[in-house]
Amino acid sequence: MTDTAQGHASSTGISNVKLGMWAFLGSECLLFGGLISTYMLYRGRVTGGPRPSQIFDIPFTSVSSFVLLMSSLTMVLAVSAAHKDDDRKTNLWLTVTALLGATFVGGQVYEFTAFYKEGLGFSTSLFGSSFYTLTGFHGVHVTVGIIMLMSLVGILKRSSVPGKKAEVVEMIGLYWHFVDIVWIIIFTLVYLIPV
Amino acid sequence: MTINTADKTHEQQHGMSNAGYIRIAVILAAITGLEVSTYYVDFGVLFLPALLIMMVIKFVMVVSYFMHLKFDNKMFSFLFYAGLVLAVGVYAAFLATFKFFIQ
Amino acid sequence: MAIIERPAPTVPAIVTPTTTYGSLKRPVSATGWRSWVFTVDHKKLGIMYGATAMFFFIIGGVEALLIRLQLAAPNGKVLNADLYNQMFTMHATTMVFLFVMPMAAGFANYFVPLQIGARDVAFPRLNAFGFWALLFGGIFLNLAWFLGGAADGGWFMYAPNSGPVFSPSNGVDFWALGLQIAGIASLTGAINLIITVLNMRAPGMSLMKMPIFTWMITVVQFLLLFAIPVITVALFLLSFQRNFGARFFDVAAGADPLLWQHLFWIFGHPEVYVLILPSFGIVSEVLPVFSRKPLFGYPFVVFSGAAIGFVGWGVWAHHMFASGLGPVSVAVFSLTTMAIAVPTGVKIINWTLTMWGGKLWFTTAMKFAIGLIVLFTVGGLSGVTHAVAPSDTQQTDTYYIVAHFHYVLFGGAVLGIFSGFYYWWPKVFGKMLNEKLGSWNFWLMVIGLNLTFGPMHILGLQGQPRRMYQWTEARAGEGFFNLAFWNLIASIGSFVLAVGILMFLINVLITARNPQKAPLDPWNARSLEWMTTNPPKEHNFDVVPTVHHLDDFFHQKYEEDPVTHTMKQVRTAEEIMAEQERNADKHIHMPSPSYWPIVLAFGLPVITFGLIYSHLISVIGGVIVLFAAYGWALESSTAPDSDFETNTPGTGLDKVASNHD
Ligand code: HEM
Ligand SMILES: [Cu+2]
């Protein structure tokens, strides 16, 4: 095979980029693990300001969690369309995913403002600091995902995309699902288990 | 190249149809509904274990089906689950040193 | 030797620039400063890592000498208390994060692709980005010296002591954000090397045929992959506390001061293996070559390395025995710590048995390797004395600890690195380092090292605290164990050590001036990196080797005589090279240089600078990052086929399998 003549050949037949993405996600587990553990340690430590159970709005957060969960479905539909070389559907589902993501982030902004008005600032208590840090980190991840999705929609319109189109969509998909599973954990541990 | 096409056919053989994805999403939605119901209905002693089990099921379903880990090369699973297992183990030990689990 | 000097038939094709953003042409220079700044060649980047690390080694060394000058005599006046704190903090930070880690990254970058028979790493642009991020992060960290004082909380920066109340200058902010940038560099480097090793090995090179150095580097990259995010979390918490008023370490708000300690050491203990395992890998290459024997028990060395990497996650709290963890935690972590001594001992036994009965050839590289075995063992033994919790409570925060970790870090990690310099210099630069000066280099360093750090055992057991900026005559005591005498010896030793290192720098200069070229295979070596020219061509190998054995190069040169069962030379390195050139691959398209890695990396310190001074600057940094990220995404890592001037029409076979990183 002349593959081996290339700087980029792979000896296993697996894509480098995909392996790299999974390694990165493995690493992210320790990042979010650390943030979640910090929150778990500190969630009940309230010397001033509201306690978690006093301000969480479970119905509201349930809806936005549901929105994020469904964005995983639309993302996977985009990947599947990309594998079938169906550009129109790929673009459509990518856009819908980005919109759902934006809805989630919008909900988070609303939630943060509401909590702030109810007296939970970043410096109010250990609960406040660790709550905003954890959910804020997640929110930033979602936002980065949205930026990537939108850029992808823009780039896909160009004729030449560096790399395999479908693979690029798939990589962003992996990232997006990961952000979703982190929220699955946050939703249970932070919101549903009361303190 | 050959490499990537091989990858692709592999996926098409074992991957899922769109209907399959929608089925998974419906199950996920249903579990989420159940999770939220714990807020309204008293589950008694089952509350905590039920929530944790549902969380794990959702997590594994997204990883296995939406992220294709179930059908893909084992090396991907290794990289991801190595990180995940390490994270769970290390941070559980970390919380244990704070006597978190025996409050 | 004419063979090597004849121009190779396969010069990588010349590239004409493509554009990004429709207007920015990609860089193509093959010479001059541009060929370095925009390079994605793993060998050039390896050299750049090495040079950067050496530069920081000198800075960290000068800081160490200032510390020892201050402590040479009672009531030292060289530094005031505040400056002393900054000095030991930055000394350690520089040595750990800006010298040993980048130096190991340099060796890894240069030699891992060569050892596995690859033409480059999996993600060449990411590789370049990692280097620039490290360099900019390191500079950023040191900027604090000129902007109100450097970090002063010790290299593990315990919170809440590192909070704004006790450390009001911006030093800790620079420290936390600078390490954050260096962390990004390590993380991208780790992903890159892991994928390279998993996915880019030459045909036939199964995992258990990989050279030990590559194995140890792989273990290290896994440690980094999973440990860096932990320190990232800790550093964010600290920065948020200092810059945005978070309460994480605020005891008045109910915070637990041990939170930082745990997070730091969950990262920190794997980190010490990150520092030592590359050097273990280097000596595992050097010892067999200069003992004229294969490495004794290769699988044991591999598995003990992996075991160290694994168990290393379960011992972190041994750094916290004195913090009131509670008896259960102390007992558990004491036991796991003793357990981890076992795989380390296995390695030492393997090295010793490799030399046993071999025809030893005492080159400088070999001397450094033997130096490592002896001195690391000394440090390892004092380490076992800390694993015993009751004895550790006596030793902790005294000079005994300082003695211990310098024996393992200097006697272990640094001697291994020097062994690597002498062993691989001809490979990288095509010239041999002077062996006579090398001998001076080695002996002065070893003597200096023992003079400096040996007495610190005594100082520590006599109760001299670590991080103490002055000692007084009145409390120095009398007799053989008096502090005054041993402090003076340690300070004299540190200058002997410095002269030893100077010998190395002189050696480098003399070698650079020496016109004599190194022979093709000067050490009669065993692994694939020697199966190419000195220095290797841009594409590393004319023919990608097909591997049949562990130590494949050796087995191409030697075959076992069926009658006498001894190894007989059947071919010379020159013959192997000549054959490769005859069958050289055509159409080798190497990844093309790029502007984006350095631009992207430059955006990072701009962002962090803005976090300290003005958020507007951060926005500018963010724009730079975004701009570079788009440029990066819109450019393929290897210029497209149409960009290559090929003599024969493209066959289509030489497209690139994956081209975005
Ligand atoms: C040039 C030779 C060196 C000398 C003379 C030297 C000297 C010292 C001294 C005297 C201290 C103790 C400061 C104090 O506690 O007051 C110290 C601390 C330290 N050194 Fe070195 N050192 C050298 C090289 C290295 C190297 C190569 C490394 C790591 C690879 C290293 C890592 C450290 C660390 C981690 C600390 C602890 C700093 C702290 O307490 O936060 N040193 N060094
Ligand atoms: Cu340790």
Side-chain angles (χ1 to χ4, degrees):
Chain A
M1 278 280 309
T2 33
D3 273 346
T4 45
Q6 300 312 314
H8 281 249
S10 86
S11 55
T12 51
I14 306 170
S15 139
N16 279 341
V17 188
K18 198 164 169 183
L19 265 180
M21 182 51 110
W22 277 110
F24 172 69
L25 296 181
S27 166
E28 288 270 287
C29 288
L30 282 113
L31 182 91
F32 278 105
L35 293 168
I36 292 172
S37 311
T38 304
Y39 175 80
M40 294 312 276
L41 186 65
Y42 280 168
R43 65 192 174 141
R45 304 204 187 173
V46 180
T47 43
R51 301 181 59 76
S53 49
Q54 290 168 326
I55 53 167
F56 283 164
D57 180 350
I58 300 295
F60 179 84
T61 312
S62 303
V63 172
S64 60
S65 305
F66 183 73
V67 169
L68 192 63
L69 194 62
M70 286 307 114
S71 78
S72 257
L73 173 63
T74 56
M75 185 73 232
V76 89
L77 293 176
V79 174
S80 148
H83 277 303
K84 290 179 194 131
D85 280 329
D86 185 340
D87 284 0
R88 205 184 54 82
K89 279 213 178 122
T90 311
N91 268 340
L92 173 74
W93 288 123
L94 286 176
T95 314
V96 174
T97 309
L99 285 176
L100 290 174
T103 313
F104 174 84
V105 174
Q108 203 168 35
V109 172
Y110 168 80
E111 185 192 44
F112 280 13
T113 347
F115 288 181
Y116 186 72
K117 286 203 189 110
E118 286 176 56
L120 186 72
F122 191 50
S123 315
T124 307
S125 59
L126 283 168
F127 160 58
S129 297
S130 51
F131 172 79
Y132 285 119
T133 302
L134 171 59
T135 51
F137 253 89
H138 180 265
V140 169
H141 272 74
V142 179
T143 311
V144 169
I146 296 172
I147 296 176
M148 291 200 293
L149 288 168
M150 306 287 280
S151 315
L152 190 56
V153 171
I155 293 175
L156 284 180
K157 293 216 172 90
R158 291 168 25 128
S159 50
S160 78
V161 181
K164 294 248 166 294
K165 258 189 211 183
E167 189 173 58
V168 179
V169 178
E170 199 184 334
M171 287 315 104
I172 296 184
L174 287 180
Y175 174 85
W176 190 264
H177 295 308
F178 179 77
V179 172
D180 186 29
I181 54 180
V182 171
W183 189 259
I184 289 177
I185 294 176
I186 293 181
F187 182 53
T188 302
L189 293 188
V190 174
Y191 289 89
L192 292 179
I193 298 178
V195 210
Chain B
M1 301 250 33
T2 32
I3 288 163
N4 285 341
T5 34
D7 218 9
K8 200 161 155 185
T9 45
H10 173 84
E11 210 164 81
Q12 276 160 356
Q13 276 161 13
H14 306 281
M16 297 180 64
S17 61
N18 285 353
Y21 290 132
I22 293 171
R23 247 195 325 269
I24 300 285
V26 170
I27 299 175
L28 286 171
I31 299 179
T32 309
L34 257 180
E35 284 180 334
V36 176
S37 74
T38 60
Y39 179 66
Y40 300 99
V41 186
D42 189 5
F43 273 56
V45 285
L46 283 181
F47 173 74
L48 197 60
L51 266 184
L52 292 179
I53 290 170
M54 288 191 284
M55 175 181 91
V56 172
I57 293 176
K58 280 168 73 181
F59 186 99
V60 172
M61 277 179 78
V62 174
V63 174
S64 310
Y65 296 103
F66 285 177
M67 297 169 91
H68 274 274
L69 211 48
K70 189 159 180 248
F71 314 109
D72 256 338
N73 192 292
K74 291 280 164 291
M75 211 124 79
F76 301 135
S77 303
F78 167 73
L79 288 171
F80 182 67
Y81 283 117
L84 184 69
V85 169
L86 198 63
V88 172
V90 165
Y91 290 122
F94 156 85
L95 286 172
T97 64
F98 288 104
K99 313 218 170 19
F100 177 81
F101 301 106
I102 44 174
Q103 275 162 356
Chain C
M1 297 301 303
I3 297 157
I4 319 157
E5 275 144 29
R6 191 188 332 127
T10 48
V11 185
I14 310 285
V15 190
T16 52
T18 23
T19 58
T20 315
Y21 292 130
S23 59
L24 288 166
K25 288 198 188 334
R26 92 185 283 166
V28 288
S29 326
T31 52
W33 62 273
R34 282 192 193 82
S35 71
W36 289 88
V37 173
F38 305 125
T39 188
V40 295
D41 178 353
H42 73 97
K43 296 181 291 301
K44 282 193 172 144
L45 287 165
I47 295 173
M48 285 148 82
Y49 264 116
T52 304
M54 208 60 209
F55 170 74
F56 283 118
F57 184 39
I58 293 169
I59 293 189
V62 170
E63 285 160 357
L65 293 181
L66 287 172
I67 294 175
R68 276 324 312 175
L69 270 181
Q70 167 78 2
L71 295 184
N75 308 311
K77 294 276 181 312
V78 181
L79 305 165
N80 61 31
D82 184 28
L83 219 60
Y84 187 87
N85 288 350
Q86 299 175 31
M87 212 51 82
F88 70 69
T89 304
M90 290 304 286
H91 157 67
T93 305
T94 305
M95 287 297 190
V96 169
F97 295 100
L98 305 179
F99 163 54
V100 177
M101 282 174 76
M103 192 58 90
F107 277 110
N109 249 296
Y110 203 102
F111 293 107
V112 165
L114 285 169
Q115 286 201 325
I116 61 173
R119 291 217 158 111
D120 208 318
V121 289
F123 306 112
R125 285 182 298 174
L126 199 63
N127 202 14
F129 166 78
F131 166 72
W132 292 109
L134 169 91
L135 177 62
F136 295 149
I139 293 173
F140 182 82
L141 252 168
N142 279 286
L143 272 185
W145 284 114
F146 312 104
L147 296 170
D152 53 3
W155 86 286
F156 42 61
M157 210 53 75
Y158 279 175
N161 185 44
S162 51
V165 180
F166 304 104
S167 197
S169 79
N170 282 329
V172 177
D173 301 320
F174 275 98
W175 183 87
L177 295 167
L179 286 188
Q180 207 72 284
I181 299 176
I184 296 174
S186 295
L187 186 66
T188 54
I191 293 178
N192 194 1
L193 284 169
I194 289 174
I195 309 310
T196 303
V197 168
L198 288 182
N199 226 17
M200 313 271 293
R201 278 167 283 135
M205 171 143 315
S206 61
L207 290 177
M208 291 311 278
K209 291 201 181 87
M210 287 197 319
I212 284 284
F213 175 72
T214 295
W215 253 112
M216 291 305 112
I217 291 295
T218 309
V219 173
V220 166
Q221 304 312 314
F222 272 102
L223 289 173
L224 285 172
L225 181 72
F226 297 136
I228 294 287
V230 185
I231 188 79
T232 303
V233 170
L235 293 172
F236 270 123
L237 300 187
L238 182 62
S239 286
F240 288 174
Q241 164 120 3
R242 292 182 56 96
N243 303 332
F244 304 119
R247 308 293 289 274
F248 296 111
F249 309 111
D250 185 349
V251 180
D256 210 316
L258 288 193
L259 173 65
W260 171 273
Q261 295 198 20
H262 277 291
L263 289 177
F264 186 89
W265 289 116
I266 291 175
F267 153 80
H269 193 86
E271 168 71 14
V272 307
Y273 292 113
V274 167
L275 298 175
I276 194 65
L277 286 181
S279 289
F280 281 7
I282 292 173
V283 300
S284 304
E285 300 287 330
V286 168
L287 288 167
V289 167
F290 298 109
S291 304
R292 304 264 158 267
K293 273 175 66 190
L295 182 67
F296 182 88
Y298 168 89
F300 286 96
V301 182
V302 170
F303 286 125
S304 64
I308 289 175
F310 186 71
V311 185
W313 286 93
V315 300
W316 79 84
H318 61 210
H319 297 273
M320 302 162 64
F321 282 152
S323 68
L325 279 178
V328 180
S329 301
V330 168
V332 169
F333 281 99
S334 186
L335 283 174
T336 54
T337 303
M338 290 179 204
I340 207 169
V342 175
T344 316
V346 167
K347 280 196 150 48
I348 292 178
I349 291 169
N350 276 297
W351 292 329
T352 314
L353 291 179
T354 301
M355 290 191 289
W356 189 272
K359 294 198 203 68
L360 303 190
W361 180 10
F362 289 101
T363 60
T364 309
M366 181 67 162
K367 285 182 203 152
F368 273 110
I370 297 172
L372 178 144
I373 300 180
V374 174
L375 295 175
F376 181 84
T377 306
V378 174
L381 290 176
S382 61
V384 176
T385 68
H386 319 317
V388 184
S391 105
D392 182 66
T393 9
Q394 298 297 312
Q395 298 155 3
T396 197
D397 276 332
T398 70
Y399 258 79
Y400 189 85
I401 297 284
V402 181
H404 155 72
F405 66 61
H406 281 95
Y407 267 88
V408 289
L409 283 174
F410 214 116
V414 180
L415 290 195
I417 285 170
F418 273 79
S419 174
F421 286 156
Y422 281 87
Y423 177 56
W424 277 318
W425 204 268
K427 172 65 23 194
V428 178
F429 296 105
K431 294 181 186 172
M432 313 277 287
L433 283 170
N434 184 308
E435 282 287 315
K436 197 165 200 156
L437 261 175
S439 205
W440 280 97
N441 178 191
F442 170 74
W443 286 111
L444 282 171
M445 263 173 83
V446 166
I447 292 168
L449 200 161
N450 284 296
L451 279 182
T452 311
F453 303 119
M456 290 186 188
H457 291 108
I458 300 173
L459 291 172
L461 292 178
Q462 288 300 96
Q464 176 166 319
R466 165 185 187 186
R467 301 176 172 170
M468 180 195 68
Y469 98 106
Q470 273 182 340
W471 52 273
T472 53
E473 192 74 71
R475 297 177 61 184
E478 274 161 18
F480 183 69
F481 291 118
N482 79 82
L483 299 186
F485 176 69
W486 293 111
N487 267 309
L488 184 62
I489 295 290
S491 293
I492 294 173
S494 67
F495 282 86
V496 177
L497 187 48
V499 173
I501 293 164
L502 198 65
M503 289 297 147
F504 173 73
L505 298 177
I506 294 174
N507 201 347
V508 170
L509 286 183
I510 290 182
T511 307
R513 294 239 175 119
N514 183 355
Q516 199 185 348
K517 296 256 185 299
L520 184 59
D521 181 17
W523 314 123
N524 196 1
R526 315 177 67 87
S527 41
L528 282 186
E529 78 269 27
W530 292 100
M531 206 168 81
T532 175
T533 49
N534 295 337
K537 299 166 186 169
E538 194 196 342
H539 54 281
N540 291 356
F541 300 97
D542 283 338
V543 185
V544 168
T546 302
V547 176
H548 302 284
H549 302 273
L550 174 66
D551 292 342
D552 203 67
F553 182 45
F554 177 80
H555 286 279
Q556 298 210 16
K557 291 184 289 185
Y558 292 84
E559 266 167 25
E560 190 175 319
D561 186 313
V563 188
T564 60
H565 293 286
T566 50
M567 300 305 277
K568 273 187 26 194
Q569 179 148 21
V570 287
R571 290 198 296 171
T572 63
E574 281 78 6
E575 283 161 359
I576 296 172
M577 283 303 302
E579 189 187 315
Q580 282 204 6
E581 292 195 351
R582 252 179 278 120
N583 303 326
D585 291 335
K586 307 264 175 338
H587 304 307
I588 301 168
H589 289 189
M590 295 305 293
S592 316
S594 172
Y595 294 120
W596 305 118
I598 185 172
V599 178
L600 187 62
F602 180 73
L604 301 177
V606 178
I607 295 180
T608 52
F609 196 79
L611 286 179
I612 299 175
Y613 290 105
S614 150
H615 292 187
L616 196 68
I617 304 178
S618 295
V619 174
I620 298 174
V623 172
I624 297 178
V625 165
L626 214 59
F627 174 73
Y630 279 115
W632 185 314
L634 293 174
E635 161 193 278
S636 54
S637 84
T638 302
D641 264 9
S642 57
D643 282 10
F644 288 88
E645 289 168 2
T646 37
N647 303 330
T648 31
T651 52
L653 282 172
D654 41 14
K655 281 217 195 65
V656 180
S658 109
N659 50 4
H660 46 263
D661 45 8

